């Protein structure tokens, strides 16, 4: 793993996962803590039935939030079971916190994240599709670790894995999308992962640049990053469409990669301004007609705005 990826991992993940010092029930009814760290030993097909936690839970230095007294094995197990069967998966975080009394320190969270990241890296490196992981551009490494963080390092995405083996970055950007139905919290991660693999492709195209350094800057908000000029507009992505429209003076009211009403309004305004048929329903860059995409690219060229990953 490149040092830049290790240094960026927490800043990248915390805005999506939060930093939680107590046990809570996540959207899948699995007990977690820290920065989306699973404590739950449940079988994926058997949620809610296993009262036993992962062994990691007993290594985190839990203490009573009021007295600061260290919690013993029995207290930690009792807290776990209380959270596990609390039916709070869909509750606000404040409600989840209210039923707990044990806490861990920020240092314990940092150590847990570091340990898990190392473990995931070792597991991923042993998979044939990711055998060249050490030589990947930093953005590609971070994208893969992000997927593993959300799904575990043994996830099965056959088309993505085949593309990874060939280092076909733009196909990886297309095929890295995790299921969003019932879990809208994964949408920001999908948007960022697609951008990470696209940036890896741009670095490998080449420029080339220094593969050990990230192009994606996790210290910036996503919209600021897209406006930074640090890389070409990624025209294989929804967020690239939004950026192109904004660059050309058609405001999508946000650069978030979610192609909703405001993006469609901006796209329709662009189409009307250039005598193009309107597209009434756009949910991805692939729904944009070829003629519209060609005019978008030509207008970006006229403006001197660099772009990459143009749909074929």
């Amino acid at each position: 793993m490149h040092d830049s990826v290790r240094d960026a991992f927490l800043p990248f993940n915390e805005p999506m996962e939060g930093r939680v010092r107590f046990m809570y029930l996540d959207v899948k009814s699995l007990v977690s803590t820290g920065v989306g760290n699973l404590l739950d030993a449940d079988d994926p097909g058997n949620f809610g039935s296993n009262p036993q936690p992962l062994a990691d839970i007993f290594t985190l230095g839990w203490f009573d939030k009021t007295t600061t007294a260290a919690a013993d094995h029995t207290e930690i197990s009792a807290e776990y079971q209380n959270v596990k069967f609390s039916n709070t998966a869909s509750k606000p975080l404040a409600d989840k916190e209210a039923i707990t009394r044990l806490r861990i320190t920020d240092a314990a969270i940092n150590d847990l994240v570091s340990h898990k990241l190392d473990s995931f890296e070792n597991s991923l490196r042993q998979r044939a599709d990711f055998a060249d992981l050490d030589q990947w551009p930093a953005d590609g490494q971070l994208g893969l670790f992000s997927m593993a963080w959300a799904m575990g390092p043994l996830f099965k995405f056959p088309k993505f894995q085949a593309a990874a083996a060939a280092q076909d970055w733009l196909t990886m950007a297309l095929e890295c999308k995790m299921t969003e139905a019932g879990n809208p919290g994964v949408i920001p991660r999908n948007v960022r992962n697609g951008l990470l693999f696209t940036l890896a492709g741009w670095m490998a195209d080449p420029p080339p640049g220094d593969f050990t350094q990230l192009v994606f800057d996790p210290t910036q908000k996503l919209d600021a990053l897209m406006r930074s000029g640090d890389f070409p507009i990624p025209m294989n992505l929804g967020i690239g469409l939004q950026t192109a429209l904004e660059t050309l003076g058609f405001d999508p009211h946000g650069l978030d990669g979610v192609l909703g009403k405001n993006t469609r309004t901006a796209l329709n305004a662009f189409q009307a301004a250039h005598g193009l048929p309107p597209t009434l329903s756009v949910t991805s860059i692939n729904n944009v007609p070829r003629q519209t995409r060609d005019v978008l690219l030509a207008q970006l060229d006229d403006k001197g705005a660099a772009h990459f990953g143009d749909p074929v």
Side-chain angles (χ1 to χ4, degrees), residues 206-228:
D210 182 351
F211 276 22
T212 69
Q213 296 302 310
L214 281 168
V215 181
F216 188 105
D217 182 354
T219 67
Q220 295 192 60
K221 291 185 176 180
L222 185 61
D223 56 356
L225 181 66
M226 299 305 298
R227 297 181 183 115
S228 67

Side-chain angles (χ1 to χ4, degrees), residues 6 9-10 19-22 24 31-39 54-62 104-120 149:
R6 181 177 297 281
F9 195 75
L10 269 170
R19 174 181 279 262
V20 181
R21 296 174 58 209
F22 51 88
Y24 67 93
V31 181
S32 302
T33 195
V35 185
N37 295 102
L38 195 66
L39 298 175
L54 293 172
D56 287 347
I57 198 171
F58 301 110
T59 68
L60 299 179
W62 295 97
I104 54 175
T105 65
D106 283 328
I109 291 174
N110 293 346
D111 288 345
L112 176 61
V113 170
S114 180
H115 169 75
K116 285 291 187 182
L117 183 58
D118 287 342
S119 173
F120 284 6
W149 202 252

Side-chain angles (χ1 to χ4, degrees), residues 67-106:
T67 67
T68 72
D72 62 23
H73 191 288
T74 300
E75 290 173 303
I76 295 168
S77 295
E79 182 98 325
Y80 172 87
Q81 294 193 40
N82 177 49
V83 171
K84 180 65 180 177
F85 301 108
S86 65
N87 196 31
T88 55
S90 61
K91 298 287 187 179
L93 191 61
D95 290 355
K96 298 180 183 187
E97 181 178 13
I99 67 168
T100 64
R101 70 177 185 86
L102 301 185
R103 300 291 182 268
I104 54 175
T105 65
D106 283 328

Side-chain angles (χ1 to χ4, degrees), residues 97-239:
E97 181 178 13
I99 67 168
T100 64
R101 70 177 185 86
L102 301 185
R103 300 291 182 268
I104 54 175
T105 65
D106 283 328
I109 291 174
N110 293 346
D111 288 345
L112 176 61
V113 170
S114 180
H115 169 75
K116 285 291 187 182
L117 183 58
D118 287 342
S119 173
F120 284 6
E121 180 185 17
N122 289 334
S123 295
L124 289 165
R125 191 186 285 116
Q126 293 173 31
R127 299 181 63 176
D129 299 324
F130 311 129
D132 295 328
L133 177 60
D134 289 347
Q135 284 73 52
W136 284 17
D139 295 270
Q141 287 188 353
L142 183 56
L144 184 64
F145 295 140
S146 173
M147 292 177 70
W149 202 252
M151 298 184 291
L154 302 181
F155 67 85
K156 304 293 184 184
F157 274 35
K159 291 181 180 179
F160 173 85
Q161 292 164 225
Q167 294 189 30
D168 178 355
W169 303 105
L170 295 187
T171 299
M172 292 165 71
L174 176 67
E175 298 295 341
C176 68
K177 187 175 181 179
M178 294 172 278
T179 301
E180 297 169 357
N183 188 12
V186 81
I187 294 173
R189 189 176 293 277
N190 277 338
V191 170
R192 286 158 177 77
N193 290 351
L195 179 58
L196 284 164
F197 291 120
T198 299
L199 292 175
W202 176 61
M203 290 295 288
D205 191 44
D210 182 351
F211 276 22
T212 69
Q213 296 302 310
L214 281 168
V215 181
F216 188 105
D217 182 354
T219 67
Q220 295 192 60
K221 291 185 176 180
L222 185 61
D223 56 356
L225 181 66
M226 299 305 298
R227 297 181 183 115
S228 67
D230 291 339
F231 50 86
I233 297 172
M235 291 303 294
N236 59 316
L237 303 174
I239 198 168

